[in-house]
Each structure stands twice: as structure tokens, then as C-alpha cells.
Amino acid sequence: MDKIFSLASLQAFTHAIFKHIGCSEKEATLATEVLLHADLRGIDSHGIARLSGYVRLWEAKRVNAQPDVRIVHESPSTAVVDGGSGLGLVVAPKAMSIAIEKAKTAGTGWVSVRNSNHFGIAGHHAMMALEHDMIGIAMTNASPLVAPTFSVERLLGTNPIAIAIPADKQPPFIADFATTTAANGKLEILQRKNQNAPVGWVQTKDGKPSTDPNETKSGGALIPLGSDREHGSHKGYCLGAWVDIFSAVLSGANYGPWVPPFVAFLNPPSDPVGEGIGHFFGAMRIDAFRSAGEFKEHMDNWINRFRSAKPVEGQERVLIPGDPERETHALRLKEGIPLNPKVVEDLEQLGAKLGIAF
């Protein structure tokens, strides 16, 4: 049974861990905020459950706790940022801030990042644009666990895309999704619960359908969004490829099968084509297109119309992207954050090893 923890207690532990590995006070606070935002929004696969994984990457000297995050190439509206092999939880919001600053003067800002690491949930970074009356976009490539349509080779990551669009009286439209049928973190959750995966999530090393959530550990692969050709997996493949190219081919990061694995016990490829993991961020100033006030009023109208759509039998309502996460965020702020017992055990062991009580 899940145990419930307050946000404050998880913040204190996470912050202490990031400080222990050498992060500055400011960057430990930033990394903690980004990581726990996932738990608050109900994206448990990318929250504090990942903390020990970041520590193991640091122990393997694949994460620099004090990176020099810098612009290495730019134009008035674009930039390439080198993340200095830092925590993606720190590199990503810094890069998104650069995109926002460029949008303030140029109308739009676009930043591609190289030499970074896993950056948490894409939605957090896209949402940074909202308070500036901007549309935010965030994406990243990831460890190659995904077989393109018709392939048995793992050449792409789950490569998520997020977009955040402000409204007026309505909550913002926030879409944050993997370009696979399911994110790898969803498989990790099923593994902890000893449950099978739905058909269409994974395939065996021979390309056969499977429901084993451990399939990727024995050479199997995740499947692009759509699950198979007849249901549109070629579209998910295209989306994942788009993210890979924008995040890495554009920035000089590793792409495709050369992306380094998130797990520390697997070594990065010996023949890298770039530096680290890649991300891509965009910020679009709404008033570069039309009055921000008018736009947000029409977003309210758009949202209200879709909310009022007649649902199919058995469903109470039609959702707007971001609704479930926003509702979970409000609930968990009030009632606490549930953690799977295996996650709790992992965090207790991490704390004991580093001398930090969980």
C-alpha cells in the first residue's frame, strides 16, 4: 500500500541529496522544484522515484553537479546551449529562460541544448512561459528503448513533447506526452506493482507483441505512439524522430542509438556522435501574433466549447489537456504525495548510504 508524504518532507530530503552531491543552494532548490513538480502533477514515473538514478549517474561521473551552462551559438531569436553535463533538472529551466528572454525582444525564442541529462517532466519547462503571456514548448530525446515502425532495433527514446498555452479565466491548456504508446516510467510503475502491460506498449526482441513490462530488459522495445502500423505507429515514429532531430542533430547532442542510457550501470556508446542528451525549447510571445487579452479570451471560448462536448456513454466529461494533472496537483498539495513501497525502500536506502534520513 502506498505511503503518504507531505510535499515539505520530500522537498527537504531531495534538496539535501542534491546538496550532498555538490549542487549549489540555488541549483539544489531548482532541481528539487522540477523533480517534485512531477509528483505533484501525478506523473510519478518522473518524480522522486528517479532521485537515486540521478545520484548513481553522479557517482558514475556522468553528471556534473556544478556545470558551466553557457550559450555557444546564437542569433537574436535562437541559441544553442551547452549544459556542461549538468543535471537536466537544472540545465533545462536555464535554457527555457533563455528562450523566454529572446522571445521578449524577438517575438519568439528557440533554444536547442546539448551536453545535458534527463530533465524531468517536459511540462514543467513549457509551463515557465505561461506567466509571461507566452506559449511554451519543450521536448527532449532520451535513451534508445523504442523500435521504429517495422524495426526490431531500438533507435529512439520516448522523446516527449510538451506545450503550454495560457487562457484567461480558464486554466491553461497543457499537453505533455511521450511519443511512444506509453512512457518507460509507466513500465517501471507496472514492474513495481507486478502487473502486466497492456497490449501495444512493448514488443519482444523479435518484434512480437508482449505484455511483459520487463521486456526491454531482455532486448525488447517500446513501441511508437499508435502501437502498430494499422493504428498509426508510423505517426508516433515521425513525432519521436522530430524530437530527436530538433533536440540533438540541431544542437550537437547525441541522437538515435547514440543517446547515453539513463541507468548508470550501462555505459554510454563508445562511438558518440555528439555530447550528452539534447533538448529543445520554444517560447512564443502571444502579442507577436495578436492581442494577448483577445487570444486568452478566445482560448477560454475554445476550452469551454470542448468542455461542453457531449461525452460518450460511460464517461462523465470531455477533458482538456492538463485537467487531470491540475486536479492531482491540487489534491496532493492538500493531502500529500503517495509513494509506492518500493520507491520508499529505495529512498530509505539512498538516505542511509548518504547519511541523510528519509
Side-chain angles (χ1 to χ4, degrees):
M1 185 174 181
D2 289 352
K3 295 183 179 180
I4 307 297
F5 295 83
S6 69
L7 175 62
S9 66
L10 296 183
Q11 285 175 327
F13 178 75
T14 304
H15 185 272
I17 295 293
F18 284 132
K19 285 281 289 182
H20 180 88
I21 69 173
C23 293
S24 67
E25 176 70 24
K26 183 178 180 181
E27 292 188 348
T29 299
L30 178 58
T32 297
E33 176 191 350
V34 175
L35 190 66
L36 293 182
H37 196 188
D39 290 300
L40 282 173
R41 291 178 66 76
I43 308 173
D44 300 336
S45 57
H46 284 58
I48 198 169
R50 294 263 182 181
L51 183 57
S52 60
Y54 292 116
V55 174
R56 286 191 290 269
L57 286 175
W58 171 76
E59 291 172 336
K61 303 188 185 308
R62 285 174 50 193
V63 162
N64 179 4
Q66 298 179 344
D68 177 20
V69 181
R70 68 192 195 281
I71 295 173
V72 293
H73 183 85
E74 66 179 322
S75 77
S77 63
T78 66
V80 173
V81 166
D82 188 297
S85 196
L87 284 165
L89 302 170
V90 170
V91 175
K94 288 186 175 184
M96 185 62 186
S97 294
I98 292 170
I100 289 169
E101 288 304 308
K102 286 188 172 291
K104 286 179 181 178
T105 56
T108 65
W110 307 96
V111 176
S112 195
V113 179
R114 70 185 187 212
N115 201 13
S116 186
N117 285 282
H118 189 278
F119 76 1
I121 57 169
H124 175 90
H125 314 303
M127 290 170 69
M128 289 173 61
L130 295 174
E131 63 184 280
H132 302 281
D133 273 351
M134 296 182 189
I135 293 171
I137 300 169
M139 60 187 81
T140 183
N141 68 1
S143 310
L145 293 172
V146 182
T149 302
F150 301 146
S151 174
V152 295
E153 285 193 79
R154 306 193 308 197
L155 298 178
L156 289 170
T158 53
N159 295 6
I161 300 169
I163 185 164
I165 305 173
D168 186 19
K169 295 180 177 59
Q170 288 293 324
F173 175 110
I174 300 168
D176 182 358
F177 57 94
T179 54
T180 46
T181 304
N184 187 50
K186 296 276 183 72
L187 290 181
E188 293 171 348
I189 291 172
L190 292 177
Q191 290 162 17
R192 295 185 198 114
K193 295 181 177 180
N194 294 315
Q195 296 177 352
N196 286 336
V199 174
W201 281 24
V202 291
Q203 66 182 33
T204 67
K205 63 182 179 181
D206 300 317
K208 303 285 194 306
S210 173
T211 59
D212 183 356
N214 295 288
E215 201 65 68
T216 58
K217 297 178 181 178
S218 55
L222 291 168
I223 303 173
L225 183 63
S227 78
D228 57 35
R229 178 65 174 80
E230 287 70 28
H231 293 91
S233 69
H234 56 294
K235 299 176 183 178
Y237 168 28
C238 288
L239 286 171
W242 163 37
V243 173
D244 198 34
I245 294 165
F246 274 40
S247 298
V249 180
L250 202 56
S251 68
N254 288 292
Y255 47 82
W258 291 279
V259 177
F262 177 73
V263 291
F265 61 83
L266 292 178
N267 292 322
S270 58
D271 58 342
V273 292
E275 296 180 88
I277 284 175
H279 319 309
F280 187 82
F281 305 98
M284 304 167 63
R285 210 176 72 212
I286 291 168
D287 66 5
F289 297 88
R290 70 182 299 189
S291 159
E294 289 179 359
F295 173 85
K296 291 194 291 184
E297 286 177 9
H298 280 279
M299 275 305 300
D300 275 3
N301 190 47
W302 190 99
I303 290 169
N304 285 325
R305 180 62 188 89
F306 277 72
R307 280 201 200 287
S308 66
K310 183 179 179 180
V312 297
E313 185 177 352
Q315 297 297 323
E316 294 182 2
R317 57 179 176 147
V318 173
L319 295 169
I320 303 301
D323 278 352
E325 294 85 356
R326 175 177 50 81
E327 291 165 5
T328 300
H329 187 282
L331 183 66
R332 290 188 173 184
L333 274 180
K334 179 181 178 182
E335 299 183 357
I337 295 171
L339 297 181
N340 180 277
K342 291 185 179 179
V343 173
V344 174
E345 181 182 357
D346 178 61
L347 294 172
E348 288 174 341
Q349 292 174 354
L350 175 64
K353 182 174 74 171
L354 302 182
I356 300 169
F358 178 67

